[in-house]
Amino acid sequence: MIDIKLIRQEPDLVMKALEKRGESPTVLEEILKLDGEWRELLTEINNLRAKRNEISKEVANLKKAGREEEANELIEEGRRVGDKIKELEEKVEELEEKMKSLLLRIPNIPHESVPVGKDDSENVEVRRCGEPRKFDFTPLAHWDLGPALGLMDFERAGKISGSRFTVMYGKLAKLERALVNFMLDVHTKEHGYTEVWVPHLVKRETITVTGQLPKFEEELYLAEKDDLFLIPTAEVPLVGLHIEEIFEEKELPKKYVAYTPCYRREAGSHGRDVRGMIRQHQFDKVELVWFTTPERSFEDLEQLVRDAEDILQRLGLPYRVVALCTGDLGFASAKTYDIEVWLPSYNAYKEISSCSNVTDFQARRGNMRYRRKDGKLALVHTLNGSGIAVGRTLVALLENYQQPDGSVKIPDVLVPYTGFEVIP
């Protein structure tokens, strides 16, 4: 959530930021109108409270002077003033709720370094690592290779749960588990993250703090009876750990990593990546979350990206890093880098990690602060990124490491985790 003070003081800046994102700025006009009414009501309430205080003093003086009848008349007037104050306070609360509802629907302000563009076609490539493999045979897509190995089953997954689910068996199931353990070990032992095990169901308030609500409720799975949401990413419970808390500056940055299944309805993606495991309703992900200070958050974002890249480098998978333009930024993000892995089945790079600095956007929603060395309190900045998406990594390994005989070679770094070098 952006600061209402920023909208009051620099409405043009916020309006231009929304326009760069392709968002309509009309919501700002409504917020400013409501804010003007809210401030007028506060002024009126303060004046009435001052009047009520004067009446109370005058009543006391009249009673001392024995002028009870006049005192009673003033007491009655004081009651009317009190009733008016109560009426206006209810209007203030109503306006505050309306303003909050609108503020929760405004995306974050893009950082000045974010390239301006209308959509993903105008994202900017930052760097590449590794060269796509040149096959001397016709490689199979993972949705053909996995079933051919007898280890990936879309039909039975459909029978159990419907479309966009997968069942895996034997060595492929173990490879998925091996990737999770490999990623967690690298991030905890070498990158300095604390591993966290988190709930997969969260409260409405929690998922509002991270920005999925209220705007993207249709993307989420809701257990209506309990009003609990299945997490779309471990970012939600990890950020939620410190709602309404105050860090000491020396504690920052605080870095967490968690493995969880993730659940997304993919409501707006009909017809996109319908084959295979690229766009699923349930998928595994290792997530990285930082709590840090405003002074260093963009520097920390660069490190977060390097931490995610390190996984791909160790696996020997070709990839590229892309800076998202303003029109492709996520709702809460001020700046995002996507890491895209090469997939032969698409003959293209596909997103495998998205690393973002959301500045104080989530911290303001969740009242997450830190105490500076001078004793003053300030909002923290939060960062998040996939470290990395496990299912897509498995897909990339299958497609990039497949052999002419239909088998798949396992990268050396994974063999201690899998216990085998080749699938099947």
Side-chain angles (χ1 to χ4, degrees):
M1 187 163 64
I2 63 175
D3 194 346
I4 183 65
K5 292 178 184 176
L6 182 64
I7 296 175
R8 287 175 189 151
Q9 296 167 5
E10 299 187 70
D12 290 342
L13 181 150
V14 179
M15 190 170 294
K16 287 176 182 176
L18 290 181
E19 289 172 348
K20 286 178 182 178
R21 278 180 163 272
E23 297 275 346
S24 171
T26 54
V27 65
L28 294 182
E29 298 172 4
E30 190 171 353
I31 288 174
L32 288 169
K33 177 177 176 292
L34 291 173
D35 186 55
E37 293 174 10
W38 176 79
R39 285 188 284 174
E40 286 178 8
L41 284 175
L42 285 185
T43 299
E44 189 175 351
I45 287 170
N46 288 333
N47 290 338
L48 288 171
R49 285 172 178 164
K51 182 177 181 179
R52 185 172 59 183
N53 289 339
E54 290 174 5
I55 288 173
S56 295
K57 291 177 184 178
E58 184 62 22
V59 166
N61 291 333
L62 289 171
K63 284 186 174 181
K64 282 182 183 179
R67 297 158 63 183
E68 290 293 331
E69 188 174 336
E70 294 176 63
N72 289 337
E73 290 177 2
L74 276 179
I75 289 171
E76 185 57 35
E77 184 179 353
R79 286 199 186 100
R80 288 194 295 270
V81 171
D83 290 341
K84 184 63 175 178
I85 290 172
K86 185 178 179 181
E87 177 190 333
L88 295 180
E89 285 175 339
E90 289 174 355
K91 289 183 179 179
V92 163
E93 289 181 10
E94 185 180 333
L95 285 173
E96 286 174 345
E97 283 301 311
K98 287 182 179 178
M99 282 194 291
K100 182 179 179 182
S101 177
L102 292 173
L103 284 168
L104 287 173
R105 294 181 178 275
I106 296 179
N108 203 352
I109 303 295
H111 187 255
E112 59 187 12
S113 64
V114 174
V116 177
K118 64 180 181 300
D119 55 35
D120 60 3
S121 67
E122 298 188 66
N123 292 340
V124 177
E125 184 176 303
V126 177
R127 57 182 172 271
R128 292 191 181 196
C129 182
E131 289 293 327
R133 178 181 170 189
K134 295 180 180 178
F135 292 89
D136 55 8
F137 62 94
T138 302
L140 294 176
H142 71 277
W143 54 77
D144 293 322
L145 181 58
L149 292 167
L151 301 177
M152 187 179 287
D153 194 333
F154 299 110
E155 289 185 10
R156 286 191 175 91
K159 179 172 66 175
I160 296 167
S161 303
S163 62
R164 300 202 179 193
F165 291 93
T166 306
V167 170
M168 292 186 287
Y169 305 96
K171 285 186 175 181
L172 212 52
K174 191 169 184 179
L175 178 59
E176 178 94 355
R177 175 160 52 93
L179 283 167
V180 171
N181 289 331
F182 166 68
M183 293 176 193
L184 289 173
D185 279 353
V186 171
H187 292 312
T188 56
K189 295 177 180 179
E190 301 187 40
H191 296 160
Y193 291 81
T194 298
E195 184 176 351
V196 188
W197 192 94
V198 293
H200 299 173
L201 287 160
V202 295
K203 296 188 295 185
R204 183 174 292 272
E205 296 84 354
T206 306
I207 205 164
T208 298
V209 165
T210 46
Q212 281 81 10
L213 292 181
K215 192 169 183 179
F216 303 105
E217 185 161 353
E218 69 168 12
E219 292 288 330
L220 305 170
Y221 285 104
L222 171 63
E224 293 186 24
K225 188 172 182 180
D226 302 297
D227 200 33
L228 293 174
F229 291 87
L230 280 166
I231 59 171
T233 165
E235 170 200 348
V236 176
L238 287 175
V239 170
L241 290 172
H242 295 289
I243 291 172
E244 298 290 347
E245 292 186 16
I246 298 173
F247 295 97
E248 296 298 327
E249 187 168 354
K250 64 184 179 182
E251 297 179 81
L252 302 176
K254 187 172 284 291
K255 301 158 59 176
Y256 291 132
V257 59
Y259 154 70
T260 64
C262 304
Y263 309 90
R264 299 182 186 177
R265 292 188 60 239
E266 296 289 355
S269 64
H270 299 295
R272 295 176 58 198
D273 303 323
V274 292
R275 300 190 72 184
M277 289 179 61
I278 293 302
R279 197 173 295 275
Q280 299 267 280
H281 292 307
Q282 175 188 319
F283 58 94
D284 290 339
K285 187 151 65 81
V286 170
E287 185 73 4
L288 309 174
V289 164
W290 291 49
F291 295 84
T292 190
T293 62
E295 292 78 11
R296 58 173 291 168
S297 67
F298 286 96
E299 177 186 341
D300 288 341
L301 175 61
E302 302 296 328
Q303 182 58 56
L304 173 63
V305 175
R306 289 193 292 270
D307 291 343
E309 284 183 82
D310 188 33
I311 300 297
L312 290 169
Q313 290 169 8
R314 292 176 189 234
L315 294 174
L317 292 169
Y319 69 89
R320 68 174 187 166
V321 178
V322 175
L324 300 196
C325 71
T326 52
D328 198 31
L329 276 184
F331 179 77
S333 177
K335 183 173 184 177
T336 295
Y337 292 105
D338 272 4
I339 304 173
E340 300 176 346
V341 70
W342 177 260
L343 292 183
S345 58
Y346 287 85
N347 195 36
Y349 292 95
K350 298 292 287 186
E351 179 198 333
I352 199 165
S353 174
S354 191
C355 300
S356 301
N357 183 356
V358 301
T359 58
D360 60 9
F361 191 81
Q362 293 172 335
R364 181 169 286 105
R365 289 181 174 217
N367 194 28
M368 296 175 284
R369 298 171 293 170
Y370 73 103
R371 185 173 287 104
R372 296 182 183 271
K373 292 172 184 176
D374 61 8
K376 294 181 180 179
L377 294 178
L379 293 170
V380 297
H381 278 197
T382 53
L383 317 177
N384 67 78
S386 305
I388 50 183
V390 181
R392 291 192 179 191
T393 305
L394 181 142
V395 164
L397 292 175
L398 287 179
E399 294 196 359
N400 285 285
Y401 280 94
Q402 61 183 293
Q403 304 300 307
D405 63 359
S407 65
V408 178
K409 186 179 182 300
I410 302 300
D412 292 343
V413 293
L414 289 180
V415 173
Y417 294 88
T418 60
F420 53 82
E421 298 180 2
V422 177
I423 298 175

